[in-house]
C-alpha cells in the first residue's frame, strides 16, 4: 500500500497553548508566532515546567547583570541560552510578545531566547505549537483528527490533564482567506486555542461532558451553549456552577464536548512521558534517540512511492522483547507498545537559506527471519519490493515532528524514516519510546570488500597481442606516463558513444598511475598497465550491467548496487562521500568517474588488507607510511 499524497499545513498560527493568569499579547507588528505565545502561556499552568525553562532567582534587582538564562530543549538535549535585556520596541512599546499588565518581561525575554536558538525573530513566523510544547518540555506530541476521533477521546483528555500534558486545538483553514476568520459563534479559524479543563456534570438528569478552552488573545469567546452568559448554567446545581465558573479567566470558556468535536478539527497532546493516556499508572518508559541525515543521491530515497530509491534511506532496527503489562483496560490487545517520533532538525534556522519544513514520515517493516539478530545489515531494494510494511506514520506532513503510537507482537522491526520525495536533504532525530524492555540500533552495512584474486602476470605470461598494443601506446621508453594514459583512455572512450563521459581528466589519470605504480617512477610499465587494463574491462562490464536505464551514466542508487556487485560493502557515510566526490550536479556518475572511484576503492582495500597482517581490522601507520599512502594514492 502506497503512502497517500502528503498533507501540507500552511505555516500559520495553527497551534495551541494555555494563557497564563496574566494575559499575554502580541503586537500586530509581530511575525505570526501566536503558536509560540500559546506554548509560552501553557508553561504558567505547570510550575515545575516553567521553572525548568525560566530558572528561579532572576530579576531586575538582586544580582542583576543585564543578562538572563533560559533552558530550551533542542533535539535531545537541554541547551542553556543567555540573552541580554535589550528588547525590540516601537513607539515606546514592545514589538512582539508582551504582558497585558505592562510590567512583566519574562515572556518577551523567553521569546528572545527562542529566537536566538532559531536564528532570528523572523524564523518564528508560522508554525505548530507542538514545537514550542516539545522545546519547553522534551515531551512527545500525539495528534488527533477531531473529524475521526477515537471513541474514548474524552477519557484521554481527562488523563492528559491529570498528568500535566500540554494540550491545544484549532480549526483548520481551507485557504488564506480563512485565516483568522471568525465563525458565527465567535471561534477564530486557524487560531491557537488551549484545552485547560474537562468535567462531567449532571444537566437536567443527564450526564453532560464539558471542555474548557482558552483563547490566547482573550479577545473573542465562544457564544454557543455553555458560554459565559448562556442559559445552560441556570439548570445545574449552583455549587457546581460556582466551582466551574470561579476559575474562568478572560478569554476562557466552556463548551460541550459534542460542540467541541463539531467546531474544532485538530487536537494535540504533548505528553511529558509517553504513558498511554488510557492507563491508570505511570510507567518507566525505555527511550532511545538517534541522529540521522538525508543526503541527495546517497541517503535521501523518498517514500515507498519511489521503490527504486526508497531502500537507500537510513534504517533503524527495533527489538521488542516483552509484551505490555496488564492494565485497567482488560480488553487491551496483547502486544508491545512503542512510540516513534521523527523530528526534523534546524529547519527554522535554515529558513534564511530558502529552506522550510520538509514533508516527512516513516514506515515499519518486520525483519526477515534470515537477518534476525544481525546488527550490520542494510535491507536492499528487493526486500521492499516484496514485503509490505507492518505499520507506518499516519500521514506524510510538513510538520517538524511526526509521531505515532503502535502495538506489535514481539520481534525485530526496521524503521525507515524518509521525506516524501527523493533527494530532499535534511538532518533528523528519531526517538523511540518503548513500554517494556526493547533494543534499538541503527542499521548499516559493515565495511568490507570481497575482491577477486589479483593475478599479476610476468612479462613472459602476458599475451603477445597485448604486448604489441602496449608498444604502440607506450612509445620508445616502453612506459606509459600520466599524459599518455589520458590520451589512451579518452581515445577508447571516443569509441563508446553510448557512455556518458567528459573524458578522463589529467588528475584522474595521475591518481590511477599513482595507485598502480609499484616501482615508484610515476609511470606504468607493461605489467602495471596490464593490471589496470584488466580492471577497466571488468568495471565496464559492471557499469553496463547496472546502468539499468541505459542512460550511459550511473544514477546514485545504480552506483550503490554496482559497488556491491563489484564486491564492496560500504556504510552510509562512505556512500555520501562517494556521491559528493564523484557525482555530477545532477547526481549522475559518468564512466570516467566510475572507473576512478572503483580503482581507488579496490587499491585502498588491497593496501589495507596487505598491512593488516593479523586480520583484526586495525592497521598502525608510522608517519612515513601515512604520508606515502595519503599523498601519493
Amino acid at each position: 500500500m502506497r503512502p497517500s499524497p502528503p498533507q501540507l499545513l500552511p505555516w500559520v498560527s495553527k497551534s495551541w497553548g494555555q494563557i497564563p493568569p496574566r494575559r499575554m499579547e502580541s503586537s500586530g507588528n509581530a511575525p505570526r508566532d501566536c503558536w509560540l505565545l500559546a506554548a509560552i502561556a501553557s508553561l504558567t499552568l505547570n510550575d515545575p515546567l516553567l521553572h525548568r525553562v525560566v530558572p528561579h532567582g532572576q530579576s531586575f534587582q538582586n544580582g542583576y547583570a543585564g543578562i538572563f538564562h533560559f533552558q530550551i530543549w533542542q533535539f535531545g538535549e537541554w541547551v542553556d541560552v543567555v540573552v541580554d535585556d535589550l528588547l525590540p520596541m516601537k513607539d515606546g512599546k514592545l514589538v512582539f510578545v508582551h504582558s497585558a499588565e505592562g510590567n512583566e518581561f519574562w515572556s518577551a525575554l523567553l521569546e528572545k531566547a527562542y529566537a536566538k536558538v532559531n536564528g532570528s525573530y523572523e524564523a518564528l513566523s508560522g508554525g505548530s505549537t507542538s514545537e514550542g510544547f516539545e522545546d519547553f518540555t522534551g515531551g512527545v506530541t500525539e495528534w488527533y483528527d477531531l473529524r475521526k476521533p477515537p471513541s474514548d477521546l474524552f477519557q484521554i483528555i481527562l488523563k492528559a490533564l491529570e498528568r500535566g500534558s500540554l494540550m491545544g486545538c484549532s480549526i483548520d483553514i481551507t485557504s488564506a482567506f480563512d485565516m483568522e476568520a471568525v465563525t458565527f459563534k465567535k471561534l477564530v479559524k486557524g487560531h491557537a486555542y488551549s484545552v485547560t479543563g474537562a468535567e462531567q456534570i449532571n444537566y437536567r438528569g443527564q450526564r453532560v461532558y464539558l471542555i474548557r478552552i482558552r483563547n490566547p488573545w482573550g479577545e473573542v469567546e465562544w457564544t454557543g451553549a455553555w458560554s459565559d452568559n448562556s442559559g445552560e448554567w441556570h439548570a445545574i446545581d449552583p455549587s457546581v456552577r460556582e466551582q466551574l465558573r470561579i476559575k474562568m479567566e478572560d478569554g476562557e470558556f466552556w463548551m460541550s464536548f459534542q460542540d467541541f468535536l463539531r467546531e474544532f478539527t485538530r487536537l494535540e497532546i504533548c505528553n511529558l512521558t509517553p504513558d498511554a493516556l488510557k492507563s491508570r499508572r505511570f510507567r518507566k518508559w525505555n527511550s532511545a534517540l538517534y541522529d540521522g541525515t538525508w543526503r541527495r543521491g546517497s541517503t535521501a530515497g523518498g517514500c515507498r512511492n519511489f521503490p527504486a530509491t526508497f531502500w537507500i534511506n537510513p534504517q533503524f532496527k527495533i527489538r521488542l522483547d516483552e509484551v505490555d503489562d496488564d492494565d485497567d483496560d482488560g480488553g487491551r490487545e496483547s502486544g508491545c507498545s512503542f512510540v516513534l517520533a521523527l523530528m526534523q532538525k534546524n529547519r527554522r534556522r535554515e529558513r534564511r537559506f530558502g529552506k522550510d519544513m520538509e514533508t516527512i514520515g516513516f514506515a515499519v517493516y518486520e525483519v526477515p527471519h534470515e537477518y534476525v539478530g544481525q546488527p550490520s545489515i542494510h535491507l536492499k531494494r528487493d526486500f521492499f519490493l516484496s514485503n509490505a510494511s507492518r505499520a507506518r506514520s499516519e500521514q506524510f506532513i510538513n510538520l517538524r515532528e511526526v509521531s505515532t503510537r503502535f502495538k506489535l507482537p514481539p520481534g525485530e522491526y526496521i524503521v525507515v524514516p524518509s521525506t516524501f520525495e527523493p533527494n530532499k536533504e535534511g538532518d533528523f532525530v528519531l526517538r523511540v519510546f518503548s513500554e517494556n524492555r526493547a533494543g534499538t540500533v541503527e542499521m548499516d552495512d559493515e565495511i568490507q570488500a570481497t575482491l577477486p584474486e589479483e593475478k599479476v602476470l610476468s612479462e613472459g605470461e602476458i599475451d603477445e597481442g597485448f604486448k604489441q598494443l602496449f608498444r604502440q601506446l607506450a612509445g620508445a621508453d616502453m612506459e606509459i606516463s600520466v599524459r599518455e594514459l589520458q590520451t589512451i583512455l579518452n581515445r577508447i572512450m571516443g569509441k563508446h558513444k553510448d557512455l556518458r563521459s567528459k573524458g578522463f581528466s589529467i588528475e584522474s589519470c595521475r591518481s590511477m598511475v599513482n595507485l598502480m605504480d609499484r616501482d615508484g617512477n610515476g609511470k606504468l610499465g607493461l605489467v602495471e598497465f596490464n593490471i589496470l587494463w584488466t580492471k577497466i574491462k571488468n568495471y565496464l562490464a559492471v557499469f553496463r550491467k547496472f546502468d539499468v536505464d541505459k542512460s550511459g551514466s550511473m544514477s546514485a542508487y545504480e552506483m550503490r548496487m554496482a559497488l556491491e556487485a563489484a564486491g564492496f560493502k560500504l556504510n552510509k557515510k562512505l556512500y555520501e562521500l562517494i556521491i559528493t566526490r564523484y557525482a555530477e550536479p545532477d547526481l549522475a556518475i559518468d564512466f570516467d568517474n566510475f572507473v576512478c572511484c572503483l580503482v581507488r576503492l579496490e587499491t585502498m582495500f588491497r593496501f589495507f588488507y596487505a598491512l593488516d597482517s593479523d586480520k583484526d581490522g586495525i592497521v598502525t601507520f608510522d608517519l612515513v607510511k601515512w604520508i606515502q599512502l595519503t599523498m601519493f594514492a
Side-chain angles (χ1 to χ4, degrees), residues 426-439:
D427 300 323
F428 66 84
V429 165
L430 180 68
R431 292 189 288 168
V432 183
F433 302 91
S434 56
E435 184 171 309
N436 278 317
R437 184 167 61 88

Side-chain angles (χ1 to χ4, degrees), residues 275-293:
D275 284 301
L277 293 172
K278 302 177 184 180
S279 174
R280 288 183 178 176
R281 59 191 178 87
F282 287 98
R283 293 175 169 81
K284 181 176 176 58
W285 283 71
N286 297 277
S287 63
L289 181 147
Y290 293 98
D291 291 295
T293 60

